[in-house]
Structure formats: C-alpha cells, structure tokens
Amino acid sequence: MNIFVTGNPRSGKSTLIQRLLDEISDKNVSGFITPEIRINDARQGFKIIDLASKEEEILASLNIKHGPSVSKYKVNVEGIDAIMDKFLESYESSEYVIIDEIGMMEFYSKKFRETVRMVLDSDKKVVATLSKKFVKKYKDEGQIYTLTRENFEEVYDKVLREIKG
C-alpha cells in the first residue's frame, strides 16, 4: 500500500510525517526523514536521517562546494547513498516505510531511485511525501493526498486510518 502526501512548501508534509511516526512508534518502522538545517533562523540546507539507526548525513547544503545543484543548494549524493545503505539494513524486517521526501535533491542518487522503486513495489505500508514535480510520475502508484494548512487534520486522519486499516 503506497500513500503519497504532496503540497506546497511549508504546507505541513514533514509535520504530518512526524505525527505519523509518533502514532506508530510501537511498530517496526524503517525509512528516512530530511529535516532542514537552520542557523540563526536561516535555512542552510537539509539532513537525511535513517529512522532505524538514527545515522545522518548532509543531504544538501549552501556550504557544499561540489555536486549537483538544486536551487541554491549543492546535493551530497554520497551522503544520500550512505543513508540508503543504512536504510536497507532495517528495511526487510519493517512493517512500515516512511520516506520524507521523494524530490529533486534525492533523485540525483541512483541508489535512492532504485531503493524507492523497490519499496514502492513491495507489500509494505509506505507513506512518502512527494515533491509536486513528481506527482505525475507516481500518480498510478498509490493514493495521493494534497496537503494544505487548512486540510491538515483531515488528511492526517485519512492517512492514519489507511495505514492502520
């Protein structure tokens, strides 16, 4: 079962994922999150953190000098690959897979693309946030919810019911 949550930046996608993680904390969960790196209230980049091991890498940063660019950030493809390796260590035994997010930065990693394909083709319960640029690509792969600040609670309740179903 694949559930995708998309929406504009700051619509609450990562908050929804965090609340779901709190709700299923007693379950066997694998996956990764990509929180912002903020210094003095200014976004400097993003981390990518494996949920099972808590290991983290820099996903993208203003301070990386080499690598592919997305907006003003340089992407750390090696870091993404390292977290995909960590994720695969816990994946087989997990009941739920959480991916925050499927987006342009992550897609520079071939290993990320292959891992996402494997996960989406599995029988596991998958909840992934999805960049709006990828909605067309994944529209036939599962249920897609578009999140806004106004419908946050409604979408959260629907997603929670589906995964607990």
Side-chain angles (χ1 to χ4, degrees):
M1 165 200 310
N2 300 327
I3 299 171
F4 300 102
V5 179
T6 191
N8 290 328
R10 312 212 64 77
S11 60
K13 297 180 298 292
S14 295
T15 301
L16 184 140
I17 290 296
Q18 199 54 58
R19 279 193 44 197
L20 283 175
L21 285 168
D22 292 344
E23 188 68 37
I24 60 174
S25 61
D26 59 329
K27 306 289 188 220
N28 199 342
V29 179
S30 65
F32 42 89
I33 56 173
T34 57
E36 293 181 348
I37 299 168
R38 288 194 164 269
I39 299 172
N40 298 329
D41 223 27
R43 187 164 67 193
Q44 301 295 306
F46 301 88
K47 294 183 211 176
I48 183 166
I49 304 172
D50 175 65
L51 291 172
S53 69
K54 306 295 185 233
E55 285 198 28
E56 62 182 65
E57 293 279 344
I58 300 296
L59 167 63
S61 174
L62 297 174
N63 302 317
I64 295 175
K65 300 298 178 226
H66 304 286
S69 295
V70 174
S71 180
K72 58 190 176 188
Y73 305 100
K74 293 284 187 189
V75 178
N76 176 14
V77 175
E78 295 80 14
I80 298 169
D81 290 351
I83 295 299
M84 291 306 100
D85 289 340
K86 278 317 261 182
F87 162 73
L88 290 170
E89 292 174 14
S90 62
Y91 167 73
E92 281 305 320
S93 63
S94 67
E95 182 181 354
Y96 295 90
V97 178
I98 302 294
I99 300 173
D100 183 24
E101 92 172 331
I102 300 173
M104 293 298 294
M105 292 176 182
E106 297 85 355
F107 247 65
Y108 277 106
S109 162
K110 181 175 188 252
K111 189 173 278 189
F112 176 88
R113 294 190 309 270
E114 291 170 347
T115 301
V116 166
R117 173 55 31 225
M118 176 196 71
V119 168
L120 294 178
D121 289 344
S122 77
D123 292 332
K124 297 189 186 289
K125 294 177 180 179
V126 179
V127 179
T129 60
L130 193 58
S131 163
K132 288 182 108 176
K133 291 181 172 80
F134 287 89
V135 169
K136 277 193 176 119
K137 180 176 180 60
Y138 291 104
K139 69 180 179 9
D140 298 326
E141 306 256 356
Q143 177 69 45
I144 296 178
Y145 292 101
T146 300
L147 188 66
T148 64
R149 289 180 176 272
E150 293 72 33
N151 73 359
F152 182 93
E153 290 300 329
E154 176 189 344
V155 170
Y156 172 78
D157 290 343
K158 285 179 181 176
V159 171
L160 186 59
R161 268 198 312 275
E162 277 196 54
I163 64 172
K164 286 192 158 188

